[in-house]
Amino acid sequence: MYKVALVDDHILLSEAIGGLVREFINFEVVNISVNGKEFIRYLETANSDKPDVVLMDVKMPVMGGVETTKYLSKHYPDIKVLALSVEEDESVVMQMIRSGAKGYLLKDTRKSILEQALLEVINYGFYYTNTVERIVKQTENLHEDEVVLKDREIEFIKHACTEMTYKQIAEKMFLSPKTIEGYRESVFQKLGLKNRTGLVIYAIKNNIFTP
Amino acid sequence: MYKVALVDDHILLSEAIGGLVREFINFEVVNISVNGKEFIRYLETANSDKPDVVLMDVKMPVMGGVETTKYLSKHYPDIKVLALSVEEDESVVMQMIRSGAKGYLLKDTRKSILEQALLEVINYGFYYTNTVERIVKQTENLHEDEVVLKDREIEFIKHACTEMTYKQIAEKMFLSPKTIEGYRESVFQKLGLKNRTGLVIYAIKNNIFTP
DNA sequence: TTTACTTAGGGGGAAAATCCCCTTTTTTAA
DNA sequence: TTAAAAAAGGGGATTTTCCCCCTAAGTAAA
């Protein structure tokens, strides 16, 4: 019997999908958690009931899919993560893949595809749909995300998605307005932006800031 | 037997939730559609198999939950709409309720609550969770949405969510920069905003602009 | 026909934001 | 340990945004 765990804050959905998985031959559901933290707590006490595959949501409170997947890749490399989310945002997909997810199921998945994906992840180690494969190739080719934002810059961006002026942001970050100016300049240059409006849109698109 | 239909573009989820509904006593699933248009087409040819309740997603391509609910309220008032969505955005909830939805199930719903909600909607005509009730009361009391934005103002807002300067927006809208200035002023005043960043956030929160 | 509302346009000034070029201090890596 | 980044701060100029107050034409309603 293959063991499957579900991590999703949408309780109804994980219960429903759990029902689906139980219908598959040779599959059982060993755990349903509402966020990464709870799931990791489960793993620490679970002895023989460690799952082979985890169906992982991306957006969750407390500990999100990306963070959880990174943790699992490091501490439980045998457990395969299969992302299952309504997010079809390219940057989110890439983040999950880079964090160690073995596959990413989009919302337009059918029941039979879920079973196939579970089997392939267990037997071959990965499962990519055409859509996801396209996204991965696109982002690899375009090298769009070679921009590396530093922690302090990201913090600045979050504040910039607010009605605060740069002066006020400077106060909040205990820096001089001129330093903030520097962050603005470097961020604009890196991302090819013209003004703060563009920055806000970028931040929201790339999940740096959630409105 | 109570008849239930599901309208959701997330095929996997509707299949899974359909499985859940079939487990309930006295319930059967008569139709699963991926958007409002497809569901209405089904209704037009379905004779005796018209559903008592529809579990309706909000965000769907082609024909969304709000539009579909409005249509159903007008043409099929006997069919009760129960919104079932991951969107817990207040304005979205209010839009669905105002469009005629008899209830709104948030993501934190349990299986047993779904059954209860279905039964209550069928027997009493509506089902509101505490969370939704709170949202409805809040928005009613605060009268936050008494702001009425004119078409031309909304058009301006959409352009303001761009890297264009006001001067460029004026050109795009074939108006003088000073007229745009007037729109900016009135919109800021109506919405209590301090600057353009606030406007962008507002526009995204209220689905005027989608990044 | 007068009143009131909407739409369009404007002046002028203050405050932010943007841009370019430059210095000092702290970290990091060779 | 020394050179090279990175982080923090700055001067000064230009553009954009923001704010308050004002006019005129069209329109709808009373």
Side-chain angles (χ1 to χ4, degrees):
Chain A
M1 286 291 263
Y2 298 125
K3 297 184 182 68
V4 178
L6 292 147
V7 187
D8 197 327
D9 58 325
H10 307 30
I11 305 170
L12 189 64
L13 306 186
S14 34
E15 280 183 339
I17 292 170
L20 236 59
V21 173
R22 282 196 196 90
E23 284 176 27
F24 299 156
I25 302 164
N26 284 328
F27 280 97
E28 61 176 327
V29 176
V30 294
N31 177 258
I32 294 182
S33 302
V34 295
N35 62 56
K37 202 157 193 172
E38 195 179 298
F39 178 61
I40 290 167
R41 231 188 341 259
Y42 163 78
L43 280 183
E44 282 162 358
T45 56
N47 297 312
S48 58
D49 263 352
K50 286 196 179 62
D52 301 295
V53 192
V54 188
L55 286 171
M56 175 90 64
D57 188 25
V58 178
K59 272 194 183 167
M60 288 180 294
V62 187
M63 190 171 177
V66 175
E67 203 187 336
T68 311
T69 305
K70 276 183 189 159
Y71 182 90
L72 292 179
S73 302
K74 197 174 172 186
H75 297 89
Y76 301 89
D78 290 345
I79 299 176
K80 311 272 198 305
V81 174
L82 188 56
L84 175 59
S85 175
V86 296
E87 295 291 324
E88 52 180 333
D89 195 72
E90 301 199 354
S91 73
V92 174
V93 175
M94 285 310 298
Q95 272 182 63
M96 282 302 285
I97 300 287
R98 269 199 285 262
S99 301
K102 307 297 181 191
Y104 197 110
L105 295 181
L106 292 169
K107 57 180 181 183
D108 55 354
T109 306
R110 300 204 155 269
K111 194 168 144 182
S112 54
I113 301 287
L114 174 64
E115 187 174 15
Q116 194 188 331
L118 285 170
L119 285 169
E120 290 205 11
V121 165
I122 288 167
N123 293 320
Y124 304 112
F126 63 95
Y127 177 85
Y128 289 160
T129 58
N130 291 339
T131 323
V132 171
E133 206 162 357
R134 186 181 47 74
I135 290 174
V136 172
K137 275 187 184 161
Q138 258 184 19
T139 19
E140 269 177 358
N141 288 345
L142 291 174
H143 283 279
E144 274 182 329
D145 42 320
E146 254 184 297
V147 278
V148 181
L149 293 168
K150 296 184 228 300
D151 288 357
R152 210 72 173 140
E153 285 173 347
I154 287 174
E155 201 183 327
F156 157 72
I157 293 176
K158 281 179 185 166
H159 283 123
C161 295
T162 295
E163 289 198 326
M164 281 191 285
T165 66
Y166 290 138
K167 210 178 290 182
Q168 292 170 319
I169 294 173
E171 282 174 29
K172 259 264 163 74
M173 291 178 72
F174 303 106
L175 293 172
S176 121
K178 274 296 176 180
T179 306
I180 293 298
E181 187 74 356
Y183 287 140
R184 186 197 62 72
E185 187 108 39
S186 99
V187 167
F188 275 34
Q189 201 267 316
K190 280 183 186 173
L191 305 175
L193 301 171
K194 282 195 174 66
N195 52 41
R196 197 165 156 179
T197 306
L199 181 60
V200 176
I201 304 292
Y202 175 88
I204 292 170
K205 265 190 187 162
N206 293 273
N207 301 302
I208 294 171
F209 175 78
T210 312
Chain B
M1 287 289 263
Y2 298 126
K3 296 184 183 69
V4 178
L6 292 147
V7 186
D8 198 326
D9 59 325
H10 306 32
I11 305 172
L12 188 66
L13 306 185
S14 34
E15 280 183 341
I17 291 171
L20 235 58
V21 173
R22 284 195 195 90
E23 284 177 25
F24 300 155
I25 302 164
N26 283 330
F27 279 98
E28 62 176 327
V29 177
V30 294
N31 177 257
I32 294 182
S33 302
V34 295
N35 62 56
K37 201 157 192 174
E38 195 179 298
F39 178 63
I40 289 167
R41 224 180 357 248
Y42 164 79
L43 280 183
E44 283 163 357
T45 55
N47 295 313
S48 57
D49 264 351
K50 285 196 179 62
D52 300 294
V53 192
V54 188
L55 287 172
M56 175 90 65
D57 188 24
V58 178
K59 272 194 182 167
M60 289 179 292
V62 186
M63 190 171 176
V66 175
E67 202 188 335
T68 311
T69 306
K70 276 183 189 160
Y71 183 90
L72 293 179
S73 302
K74 196 174 173 187
H75 297 87
Y76 300 89
D78 290 345
I79 299 176
K80 312 273 199 302
V81 174
L82 188 55
L84 175 59
S85 174
V86 295
E87 295 291 325
E88 54 180 331
D89 194 73
E90 300 199 354
S91 73
V92 173
V93 176
M94 286 308 299
Q95 272 182 61
M96 282 300 286
I97 301 287
R98 269 199 284 263
S99 301
K102 308 297 181 190
Y104 197 110
L105 296 181
L106 291 169
K107 57 180 181 182
D108 54 355
T109 306
R110 300 203 155 269
K111 194 168 144 181
S112 54
I113 301 288
L114 173 64
E115 186 173 17
Q116 194 189 332
L118 285 170
L119 285 170
E120 290 203 11
V121 165
I122 289 168
N123 292 321
Y124 303 112
F126 64 93
Y127 177 86
Y128 289 161
T129 57
N130 291 338
T131 323
V132 171
E133 205 162 359
R134 185 182 48 73
I135 290 175
V136 173
K137 274 185 184 161
Q138 259 184 19
T139 17
E140 270 178 357
N141 289 343
L142 292 175
H143 284 282
E144 272 182 329
D145 44 319
E146 252 185 297
V147 278
V148 180
L149 294 168
K150 297 184 232 300
D151 287 357
R152 209 70 173 144
E153 284 173 345
I154 287 175
E155 200 182 335
F156 157 72
I157 294 176
K158 281 179 184 167
H159 283 123
C161 294
T162 295
E163 289 198 326
M164 282 191 285
T165 67
Y166 290 138
K167 209 179 289 180
Q168 291 170 319
I169 294 173
E171 281 174 30
K172 260 264 163 75
M173 290 178 72
F174 302 106
L175 293 172
S176 120
K178 274 298 180 182
T179 306
I180 292 298
E181 188 72 356
Y183 287 139
R184 187 197 59 74
E185 186 110 37
S186 99
V187 168
F188 275 34
Q189 200 266 318
K190 280 184 186 174
L191 304 175
L193 301 172
K194 283 194 173 66
N195 52 43
R196 198 164 154 179
T197 305
L199 181 60
V200 175
I201 305 293
Y202 174 89
I204 292 170
K205 266 192 188 162
N206 292 273
N207 301 306
I208 293 171
F209 175 77
T210 312

